[in-house]
Amino acid sequence: MEQRQINSSTICAISTPPGTGGIATARISGPQAIEIVSKIWRGANLTDTKSHTAHFGTIFDPETGQHLDDGVVTVFRGPRSYTGEDTIEITVHGSKWIQRELINLMIRQGAEIADRGEFTRRAVVNGRLDIAEAEAVADMIAADSRTAARIALSHIRGEYSSELEALRNKLINLAALTELELDFSEEDVNFADRSQLLDLAREVNRKVTSLAESFATGRAIKEGIRVAIAGATNAGKSTLLNRLLGEEKAIVSDIHGTTRDVIEDTAEINGLLFRFIDTAGLRATSDPIEQIGINRARQAISNADITLWLVDSANPTLPTEKDPKTIILYNKTDIASAPEGALAISALTDLDLNPLLEELTRQAAPMQINPAQTVTNARHYQALIKASQSSARIIDALQTTLPTDLIAQDIRETITHLATITTPITTPLLLQEIFQHFCVGK
Ligand SMILES: Nc1nc2c(ncn2[C@@H]2O[C@H](COP(=O)(O)OP(=O)(O)OP(=O)(O)O)[C@@H](O)[C@H]2O)c(=O)[nH]1
Ligand SMILES: [Mg+2]
């Protein structure tokens, strides 16, 4: 992709989803934004209007004089806009034709079509957002549950970046203290200082490691907490999946071994996204296809965050191994009773699945997290793993009294790994990699 001159070009795109809607919003950003819109606009004089104000008027084609539509323009003057540049949002009626024509009008007046994520990219280049905050914007757009949105919003607001900033400051402090030790080493203050350095290094390592570990939870929240529905054939697993999803997604029958493939989908429960995975019933079989299904079932169970082991109350089969991530759920209580005190339902007849949903939420409770300290991004996770390793080396080095300059190198390395998470990175390839996941118009 040719790199566009960010400071001199003006970009435009439809920011609402593609297709027909009640209304649609186009965005235009760059030095000529106000000038270009003024040429296709009859209404308030946009050169004089205050920033962050909306105005009703008419969009027209200056070449033919023809009206396109009535609409509302909202003016955001740089640098106090999302992109940091002069930006205008134009809201019109959401016909596909009007949307296309509006973009064509702006292009004829000198605007260029925006690339994916280019508005956000400009926000980064202009210092309005750091990279981690920009990535959180994409997460926010993709958020599928209250918790995922809460984490994304906290990251957009910079709360996560501040956590990283605090760690960076600790490392700088550690570097300074190391220098100090170097200066005084001949006077034998060596020993006392090292224990102080060690405390600081351990604290940094603990925090970096715990951030890296939060990724397991962060990813589960973003992609759905994986709940494998497992158990013997005919226990009612597919029936339960359909109930949880509210649709007839999986085939149900009284023939044992109906489900072969892994069937999954997500549902939001109490603000958390769960990914329910229906699996083949576990039994000894000579059918090679069913055996493949059973292998897949075992794989799904081992990858799951929670296993929901379903038991036919009339014909109970319990798991052979005890596992803290397994919830035992008795089914078919309409035809047979479950043991006293057991979690039990009738997937077929119960209208109320609340006891089960509450148990699932309780199992997922460790996943109710501090948004500012939860990593949801694989790129950040990789940087944190590296920072965790290099900060562990600082501790080792301090304990084995390695020369101070080697310690300083590990400190610098840790700072660099953390910095890649938030600081604008200049390699165009990485920037492109990050922004290609955005939609056009954001
Ligand atoms: N009476 C009663 N029947 C149920 C209940 N839940 C499921 N069934 C019936 O049990 C049979 C098996 O249900 P499925 O959902 O296909 O069972 P499964 O565990 O997915 O079976 P496999 O895919 O073969 O492993 C069907 O006839 C269902 O209608 C229940 O709560 N009560
Ligand atoms: Mg089934």
Side-chain angles (χ1 to χ4, degrees):
M1 181 188 70
E2 186 88 9
Q3 199 64 35
R4 209 197 313 266
Q5 204 51 43
I6 277 204
N7 292 329
S8 61
S9 63
T10 296
I11 51 166
C12 70
I14 297 289
S15 288
T16 37
T20 307
I23 57 174
T25 299
R27 261 187 178 166
I28 173 166
S29 177
Q32 278 101 49
I34 293 174
E35 183 191 323
I36 289 172
V37 177
S38 295
K39 287 187 194 154
I40 60 165
W41 166 252
R42 277 203 198 101
N45 182 345
L46 302 179
T47 331
D48 298 338
T49 51
K50 274 203 207 144
S51 185
H52 295 69
T53 54
H55 308 272
F56 183 77
T58 303
I59 312 288
F60 76 105
D61 182 343
E63 283 154 34
T64 63
Q66 251 176 6
H67 284 187
L68 176 66
D69 194 6
D70 290 336
V72 174
V73 301
T74 314
V75 181
F76 304 91
R77 289 184 196 284
R80 261 178 70 241
S81 67
Y82 180 71
T83 57
E85 307 168 330
D86 285 347
T87 302
I88 295 185
E89 289 179 4
I90 307 173
T91 301
V92 288
H93 293 103
S95 101
K96 286 188 203 163
W97 181 77
I98 292 176
Q99 297 184 39
R100 210 164 44 232
E101 277 303 298
L102 176 57
I103 294 297
N104 286 342
L105 281 179
M106 290 194 277
I107 288 172
R108 287 208 290 274
Q109 300 309 320
E112 295 169 44
I113 283 279
D115 285 325
R116 282 178 172 274
E118 191 170 356
F119 291 93
T120 306
R121 186 169 176 164
R122 288 183 174 209
V124 170
V125 171
N126 294 326
R128 300 289 293 169
L129 294 174
D130 69 33
I131 288 278
E133 288 159 359
E135 286 168 311
V137 171
D139 285 346
M140 183 55 137
I141 292 169
D144 250 347
S145 71
R146 168 159 39 91
T147 310
R150 197 161 64 98
I151 295 175
L153 184 61
S154 154
H155 291 200
I156 292 173
R157 288 183 172 160
E159 290 166 12
Y160 166 66
S161 299
S162 316
E163 292 282 330
L164 295 166
E165 178 72 20
L167 277 174
R168 199 178 95 98
N169 290 338
K170 286 209 165 66
L171 283 160
I172 290 170
N173 190 13
L174 186 59
L177 287 172
T178 313
E179 295 287 325
L180 205 65
E181 198 210 22
L182 193 63
D183 292 344
F184 287 97
S185 58
E186 279 149 36
E187 294 158 41
D188 257 344
V189 289
N190 211 331
F191 192 67
D193 280 345
R194 286 241 157 160
S195 78
Q196 190 191 350
L197 293 181
L198 203 52
D199 284 348
L200 199 52
R202 285 204 174 108
E203 188 190 343
V204 169
N205 176 257
R206 200 168 47 241
K207 291 206 162 134
V208 169
T209 309
S210 112
L211 275 177
E213 283 168 355
S214 76
F215 181 60
T217 306
R219 185 166 56 179
I221 286 169
K222 203 157 116 178
E223 292 170 7
I225 300 159
R226 305 180 70 84
V227 181
I229 307 176
T233 53
N234 231 37
K237 300 180 293 301
S238 302
T239 308
L240 180 63
L241 176 84
N242 293 347
R243 282 299 308 281
L244 288 164
L245 299 181
E247 61 172 304
E248 300 303 309
K249 181 115 183 163
I251 299 172
V252 167
S253 91
D254 58 2
I255 301 167
H256 287 253
T258 297
T259 303
R260 302 291 176 89
D261 265 330
V262 167
I263 300 169
E264 60 180 77
D265 210 343
T266 55
E268 189 192 351
I269 297 169
N270 297 331
L272 285 168
L273 191 70
F274 286 89
R275 179 173 290 277
F276 292 106
I277 305 156
D278 182 24
T279 63
L282 303 175
R283 66 166 177 177
T285 177
S286 55
D287 179 336
I289 307 294
E290 187 177 0
Q291 189 56 51
I292 295 171
I294 290 173
N295 294 344
R296 288 187 181 184
R298 293 196 195 283
Q299 191 65 45
I301 294 166
S302 82
N303 290 341
D305 300 304
I306 297 172
T307 304
L308 192 54
W309 186 280
L310 204 58
V311 181
D312 181 343
S313 303
N315 180 18
T317 307
L318 288 161
T320 44
E321 287 159 42
K322 260 206 150 76
D323 183 342
K325 73 174 193 186
T326 301
I327 300 174
I328 308 277
L329 175 65
Y330 282 82
N331 189 27
K332 308 197 186 181
T333 52
D334 53 307
I335 53 165
S337 54
E340 187 69 26
L343 185 66
I345 55 158
S346 163
L348 200 60
T349 61
D350 271 351
L351 295 178
D352 178 17
L353 294 183
N354 261 330
L356 168 60
L357 303 186
E358 271 159 27
E359 182 56 32
L360 282 170
T361 315
R362 209 168 13 251
Q363 278 281 325
M367 305 201 169
Q368 307 276 18
I369 33 67
N370 176 346
Q373 290 165 4
T374 304
V375 176
T376 56
N377 181 303
R379 188 182 71 81
H380 302 185
Y381 172 64
Q382 280 157 13
L384 285 162
I385 289 287
K386 287 188 189 140
S388 167
Q389 289 161 349
S390 57
S391 58
R393 282 201 301 275
I394 306 174
I395 299 174
D396 284 349
L398 285 168
Q399 279 169 331
T400 53
T401 61
L402 276 176
T404 322
D405 48 347
L406 283 180
I407 303 174
Q409 192 182 325
D410 284 326
I411 297 176
R412 261 199 308 279
E413 210 176 290
T414 311
I415 292 176
T416 309
H417 290 314
L418 291 180
T420 60
I421 300 177
T422 50
T423 335
I425 310 145
T426 39
T427 45
L429 257 181
L430 182 56
L431 274 183
Q432 200 182 324
E433 164 68 25
I434 290 171
F435 287 102
Q436 75 178 4
H437 302 296
F438 278 69
C439 28
V440 174
K442 189 69 212 179

